[in-house]
Amino acid sequence: MAVPSFLARDRIVARPGFNRWLIPPCALAVHLCIGQVYATSVYKTALVQHFDSSLTAIGVIFSIAIVMLGLSAAVAGTWVDKNGPRAAMFTSACFWVAGFVVAALGIAAGQLWLVYLGYGVIGGIGLGIGYISPVSTLIKWFPDRPGLATGMAIMGFGGGALIASPLSGRLMGLYDSGYDSADPTSVPDGHAVMMLFLTFAVLHLCFMMFGAFTVRVPADDWKPEGWDPSTVREKKLVTTASVSAGNAIRTPQFWLLWVVLFCNVTAGIGILEQAAPMIQDFFREGDTSSVSAAAAGGFVGLLSLANMAGRFVWSSTSDYIGRKPIYMVYLGVGLATYVLLATIGPNTTVLFVLFAAVIISFYGGGFATAPAYLRDLFGTFQVGAIHGRLLTAWSAAGVAGPLIVNRYLDTQGTPGELTADAYRGALFIMVGLLAVGFVANLLIRPVADRFHEPDRDPTPEPERSRA
């Protein structure tokens, strides 16, 4: 589908001398906004009361958004690669902002299905397109350090909640004078949540449009100063050939990496989704826990920091030790850390927090390193489209992870009365999943020549005029 000329890829080719370090802030502007999806728990109770519904019914909003993220990334990936980052970021902003507006209308009208449609379906489409839109561009600007580049952008997605969570509390306090965000028993009314959604719509529109209209793509013959492309050929598993998105999903390497990402994400979400009650249950004696609700909230914030830091630090490390070895760390060391969490973790809160933070840093690192791993295996030709298809693993894990943990805990007792023993079985299921992912990663080999594009230069598609 053609796009208006002001969004066209050939209008945003950078002039000689353009500073490539201006591109990561463009990507961050988009990822910090769509990373708000991790902060939906802030107004979850308010929506339960407003719609006189259940936690499960409100939780479906988040699940729909994550499923739509994976599906839209898979379907729109080729379109994003063809039309470039400005068109993709602009489109993402339109869907994401429209999702907030429609959801606000649903809250005002008391129609939960409109919130599902708005934030879940429409916003979820914006999530998927926005998540993949800057990735291939960053890889082309940083061929010498693709792990660092994608880590910087995807770090923003992990950190979005760190901004959105406290900001949401402040804004809802402004819109509802009876709400105190510091009081755990205080709940804002539906009008405050509706106004919060409309405020986010305006703020996100401004930031995402900044990203869309400042992003640039490199010219065909551009390369970093002093960088020798021939060094790429010296690295095992790194190809200089091109593989199309259609061919990529026919290779065993794509599906092995799909399994790797699915296992790593499922194991991480197992902790993230249950973080606050989990730390209280691990240190419960009788009817009371030695960990307060406020401390449990701080634990969630610490995990967000570990998630964000892991995306940057581990992905950057992969530029030096390679993508396959770093995933052996994510899955192998992660497996051992899960065992320690289940066995030694209940003895002391310090070790429990340390083990959990390490696991979540590997969870974030897995997300951020995946685009660079795809670049190594399939080249830069349609890496955005291939990345979009790979994100269906995230959608599947987003359903599987919480389902495994919650179903298992349902068999162990009543929430608020569980102890560390109740979690042990679920944690060892995650150990098994990480073992499967570890083996899948070991089996990844270079892509066979028959999947390579014939007579195609590995550099990006032609980009003629200059901005």
Side-chain angles (χ1 to χ4, degrees):
M1 183 177 68
V3 298
S5 59
F6 71 95
L7 297 177
R9 172 189 281 273
D10 61 3
R11 297 283 297 272
I12 58 171
V13 179
R15 296 177 182 277
F18 181 84
N19 186 347
R20 63 175 174 165
W21 290 99
L22 295 176
I23 300 302
C26 302
L28 272 174
V30 173
H31 272 230
L32 282 172
C33 289
I34 62 176
Q36 184 275 344
V37 72
Y38 279 147
T40 53
S41 61
V42 173
Y43 43 78
K44 195 173 181 181
T45 305
L47 290 179
V48 170
Q49 290 192 6
H50 179 69
F51 288 107
D52 190 21
S53 185
S54 66
L55 281 171
T56 301
I58 298 302
V60 168
I61 300 169
F62 174 81
S63 296
I64 294 174
I66 293 300
V67 169
M68 290 305 301
L69 183 158
L71 293 178
S72 61
V75 171
T78 304
W79 181 86
V80 169
D81 262 359
K82 179 180 178 183
N83 291 288
R86 174 175 288 178
M89 290 179 179
F90 182 87
T91 304
S92 168
C94 291
F95 274 100
W96 183 236
V97 170
F100 273 94
V101 173
V102 172
L105 290 174
I107 296 170
Q111 299 294 320
L112 183 55
W113 70 271
L114 269 177
V115 184
Y116 288 157
L117 174 65
Y119 193 95
V121 177
I122 300 174
I125 294 172
L127 270 176
I129 296 174
Y131 191 88
I132 61 173
S133 58
V135 170
S136 61
T137 302
L138 280 165
I139 287 176
K140 290 165 187 169
W141 274 113
F142 292 85
D144 49 338
R145 283 180 284 180
L148 168 72
T150 56
M152 282 190 288
I154 295 175
M155 175 182 66
F157 193 83
L162 286 177
I163 298 174
S165 294
L167 181 60
S168 297
R170 292 288 184 89
L171 288 173
M172 289 189 291
L174 285 176
Y175 298 136
D176 179 0
S177 58
Y179 173 63
D180 180 4
S181 60
D183 180 0
T185 63
S186 181
V187 179
D189 59 25
H191 173 76
V193 182
M194 180 201 71
M195 291 300 298
L196 173 70
F197 273 44
L198 291 177
T199 305
F200 270 145
V202 174
L203 291 175
H204 289 170
L205 182 65
C206 295
F207 277 93
M208 294 176 80
M209 287 303 172
F210 162 78
F213 286 95
T214 52
V215 72
R216 295 290 185 272
V217 295
D220 290 353
D221 56 352
W222 181 88
K223 66 178 183 179
E225 189 175 347
W227 178 64
D228 181 4
S230 65
T231 59
V232 172
R233 299 184 178 90
E234 300 170 0
K235 296 180 180 178
K236 194 176 180 181
L237 269 186
V238 180
T239 183
T240 56
S242 299
V243 180
S244 69
N247 274 339
I249 60 172
R250 295 171 53 212
T251 65
Q253 286 82 0
F254 176 87
W255 292 107
L256 286 169
L257 192 51
W258 194 99
V259 171
V260 166
L261 188 63
F262 172 81
C263 293
N264 194 49
V265 174
T266 301
I269 283 181
I271 284 185
L272 270 182
E273 195 267 342
Q274 190 68 15
M278 184 176 177
I279 190 172
Q280 291 184 292
D281 292 340
F282 257 63
F283 300 97
R284 185 181 302 285
E285 295 180 5
D287 295 333
T288 59
S289 172
S290 59
V291 178
S292 67
F299 173 62
V300 174
L302 180 68
L303 291 187
S304 294
L305 283 174
N307 184 8
M308 186 172 64
R311 292 169 189 247
F312 179 73
V313 173
W314 296 125
S315 185
S316 300
T317 305
S318 75
D319 286 337
Y320 298 96
I321 69 173
R323 254 54 85 171
K324 189 171 181 176
I326 199 70
Y327 270 95
M328 291 172 70
V329 172
Y330 298 156
L331 298 157
V333 179
L335 183 156
T337 310
Y338 246 113
V339 172
L340 292 173
L341 182 71
T343 55
I344 303 176
N347 296 339
T348 165
T349 52
V350 173
L351 287 178
F352 176 89
V353 171
L354 176 64
F355 294 149
V358 169
I359 290 170
I360 295 305
S361 77
F362 290 158
Y363 164 84
F367 273 123
T369 313
Y373 208 162
L374 292 171
R375 194 294 303 256
D376 289 355
L377 291 169
F378 303 110
T380 60
F381 172 44
Q382 290 187 339
V383 68
I386 300 170
H387 185 217
R389 287 158 173 77
L390 186 73
L391 290 180
T392 53
W394 184 4
S395 294
V399 175
L403 188 64
I404 291 170
V405 174
N406 291 325
R407 281 292 183 90
Y408 187 84
L409 293 179
D410 281 342
T411 66
Q412 300 299 304
T414 305
E417 300 176 355
L418 299 172
T419 63
D421 290 340
Y423 285 81
R424 194 155 292 131
L427 294 179
F428 279 111
I429 292 174
M430 300 305 173
V431 169
L433 276 170
L434 289 172
V436 172
F438 187 85
V439 173
N441 185 52
L442 283 179
L443 296 175
I444 292 178
R445 299 285 186 273
V447 175
D449 292 348
R450 68 179 184 278
F451 295 108
H452 294 167
E453 291 294 294
D455 301 321
R456 177 178 289 279
D457 191 280
T459 50
E461 294 174 346
E463 295 155 345
R464 292 173 290 280
S465 61
R466 298 177 185 276

